[in-house]
Amino acid sequence: MITIIASFHVKPECVEIFKGMAMECVEESRKEEGNSSYHLYTGKTDKTKFFFVENWKDEKAIETHNASAHFQKFAGAFSPFVKENPIIEQTVEI
């Protein structure tokens, strides 16, 4: 299993727009074969910080996800709403 943690720092005036786009991606991603879980979190005290936490069966599942229409839509649209580039880490359990 591969876990992806993707962190986004969103402009304050764009939080609701970003959240709506992100949740659409979450809902569609959960339907994908090879996805074990896909969640969106926000900072407890800083609501401009968002974190995707995704669990994937294998690298092939991630490749399929990255090529999906819903992911491509999100990836092509989020940049005007964030302060900086996202930080994306792939992790594996020890």
Side-chain angles (χ1 to χ4, degrees):
M1 174 128 10
I2 302 168
T3 300
I4 296 175
I5 302 169
S7 304
F8 292 78
H9 194 181
V10 177
K11 296 173 185 173
E13 66 274 16
C14 299
V15 165
E16 290 306 314
I17 295 168
F18 181 88
K19 186 166 58 172
M21 290 175 20
M23 285 307 300
E24 183 179 316
C25 186
V26 167
E27 290 168 12
E28 291 302 314
S29 298
R30 287 177 176 165
K31 299 174 186 175
E32 292 182 54
E33 187 174 327
N35 177 258
S36 300
S37 66
Y38 203 108
H39 297 278
L40 180 65
Y41 298 89
T42 189
K44 185 175 179 183
T45 58
D46 186 348
K47 301 300 184 191
T48 66
K49 293 188 178 175
F50 287 84
F51 308 89
F52 289 90
V53 180
E54 316 163 22
N55 288 298
W56 298 95
K57 177 182 172 183
D58 54 26
E59 202 63 48
K60 175 80 172 138
I62 294 170
E63 290 171 11
T64 300
H65 167 67
N66 289 343
S68 70
H70 59 272
F71 179 78
Q72 289 295 315
K73 179 181 174 184
F74 175 77
F78 76 78
S79 65
F81 307 112
V82 297
K83 290 183 172 187
E84 56 209 23
N85 289 332
I87 298 170
I88 301 169
E89 296 283 340
Q90 287 194 11
T91 67
V92 292
E93 189 172 358
I94 297 175

